[in-house]
C-alpha cells in the first residue's frame, strides 16, 4: 500500500531573526490514511515545534508520487517527471507525469537527486520542471525514531496476525512440503 500524503497548512505566530513576532501560514506534509488522521498527526507534530496556539487552516491530498529526503539538505523541491511510453496501437509516444518531492539545497542538486532516484527506472523519462516547494517539513508515519519502534512493532504484529491465503483445494501442508523438496 502506497502512502497518501496530506498537505496541511498551519497558521501560527512566529518570531523572526530580529525578535519581532508575526503571524504566518506554512504548509507541512504528513503521511496518513484519512483527513481525520492527518489533522490528528499535524496537531501532534506541531505541538513539539510551536509553543503557542496554532490553527490548521487547510488540509488537502498532495499529488506527490514519492517523497525522497536527502541528508545535509534543507529545502524541498517538486520535480515533475514525465514517463515516456510507446503506444504500439497508435504508434505514438505517451507521456505520463508524476511529481516527486526531493530534498536538496538548490535546483541543480534537486535535479541530481531526482536523477539518482530515477536511475533504476526501466523506461525512458524526462524531467521537464523542478521548482522549490513551499513545504516546510515532512512527517512520515514511521521515521525509524526509537520512540516509534513500539508503534512499528504493533503494526508488524497486526500484519503478521493476518491469516495466510491458501488456494482452493490446497492446504498449508502442501506448501511446506514443496519448500522442503
Amino acid at each position: 500500500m502506497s502512502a497518501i500524503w496530506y498537505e496541511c497548512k498551519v497558521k501560527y505566530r512566529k518570531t523572526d531573526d530580529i525578535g519581532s513576532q508575526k503571524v504566518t501560514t506554512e504548509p507541512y506534509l504528513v503521511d496518513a490514511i484519512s483527513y481525520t488522521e492527518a489533522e490528528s498527526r499535524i496537531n501532534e507534530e506541531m505541538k513539539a515545534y510551536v509553543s503557542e496556539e496554532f490553527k490548521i487552516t487547510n488540509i488537502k491530498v498532495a499529488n506527490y508520487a514519492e517523497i525522497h529526503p536527502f541528508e545535509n539538505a534543507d529545502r524541498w523541491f517538486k520535480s515533475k517527471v514525465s514517463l515516456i511510453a510507446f503506444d504500439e496501437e497508435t504508434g505514438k509516444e505517451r507521456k505520463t507525469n508524476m511529481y516527486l518531492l526531493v530534498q536538496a539545497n538548490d535546483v541543480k542538486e534537486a535535479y541530481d537527486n531526482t536523477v539518482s532516484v530515477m536511475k533504476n527506472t526501466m523506461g525512458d523519462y524526462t524531467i521537464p520542471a523542478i521548482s522549490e516547494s513551499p513545504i516546510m517539513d515532512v512527517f512520515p508515519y514511521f521515521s525509524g525514531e526509537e520512540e516509534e519502534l513500539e508503534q512499528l512493532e504493533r503494526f508488524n504484529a497486526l500484519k503478521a496476525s493476518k491469516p495466510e491465503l491458501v488456494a482452493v483445494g490446497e492446504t498449508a501442508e502442501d506448501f511446506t512440503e514443496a519448500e522442503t523438496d
Side-chain angles (χ1 to χ4, degrees), residues 109-127:
E109 187 178 333
Y111 176 82
D112 293 341
N113 289 348
T114 302
V115 169
S116 76
V117 164
M118 298 296 292
K119 71 180 175 194
N120 293 328
T121 303
M122 298 296 282
D124 293 334
Y125 68 91
T126 60
I127 304 171

Side-chain angles (χ1 to χ4, degrees), residues 11 35 38 43 55 72 89 109 111 114 125-126 133 151 153 157 164 176 180:
K11 185 177 188 176
Y35 285 93
N43 270 313
K55 181 180 180 181
N72 302 322
E89 290 179 14
E109 187 178 333
Y111 176 82
T114 302
Y125 68 91
T126 60
S133 168
Q151 190 175 16
E153 288 171 0
E164 291 184 26
T176 56
T180 58

Side-chain angles (χ1 to χ4, degrees), residues 32-171:
I33 56 174
S34 68
Y35 285 93
T36 306
E37 184 188 14
E39 181 180 15
S40 172
R41 293 214 46 239
I42 195 64
N43 270 313
E44 183 180 315
E45 296 289 350
M46 292 309 293
K47 283 179 188 173
Y49 295 105
V50 180
S51 59
E52 296 182 21
E53 287 185 21
F54 59 89
K55 181 180 180 181
I56 299 167
T57 60
N58 189 20
I59 298 176
K60 67 179 182 179
V61 175
N63 66 341
Y64 299 112
E66 298 173 5
I67 310 293
H68 294 281
F70 284 85
E71 287 187 30
N72 302 322
D74 61 349
R75 299 186 322 212
W76 291 96
F77 291 83
K78 184 176 186 174
S79 296
K80 179 180 180 180
V81 177
S82 295
L83 302 173
I84 302 169
F86 185 74
D87 188 356
E88 292 182 12
E89 290 179 14
T90 62
K92 296 181 181 178
E93 280 188 352
R94 274 187 316 139
K95 290 185 178 182
T96 304
N97 295 327
M98 70 177 193
Y99 297 94
L100 307 179
L101 191 66
V102 179
Q103 200 170 20
N105 292 311
D106 57 28
V107 175
K108 183 186 179 321
E109 187 178 333
Y111 176 82
D112 293 341
N113 289 348
T114 302
V115 169
S116 76
V117 164
M118 298 296 292
K119 71 180 175 194
N120 293 328
T121 303
M122 298 296 282
D124 293 334
Y125 68 91
T126 60
I127 304 171
I130 294 179
S131 61
E132 187 170 356
S133 168
I135 301 293
M136 296 303 292
D137 206 354
V138 175
F139 302 110
Y141 195 73
F142 295 123
S143 67
E145 298 289 327
E146 284 186 13
E147 63 268 5
E148 292 185 0
L149 286 178
E150 181 181 321
Q151 190 175 16
L152 179 61
E153 288 171 0
R154 278 188 284 148
F155 173 78
N156 287 333
L158 286 172
K159 193 169 85 172
S161 69
K162 182 180 175 185
E164 291 184 26
L165 297 176
V166 177
V168 176
E170 295 179 326
T171 64

Side-chain angles (χ1 to χ4, degrees), residues 2-16:
S2 64
I4 300 174
W5 294 95
Y6 291 87
E7 185 177 316
C8 304
K9 291 195 177 178
V10 180
K11 185 177 188 176
Y12 64 97
R13 190 175 314 275
K14 185 177 187 176
T15 306
D16 62 9

Side-chain angles (χ1 to χ4, degrees), residues 164 171-181:
E164 291 184 26
T171 64
E173 290 81 29
D174 293 339
F175 290 103
T176 56
E177 288 176 34
E179 290 173 2
T180 58
D181 289 342

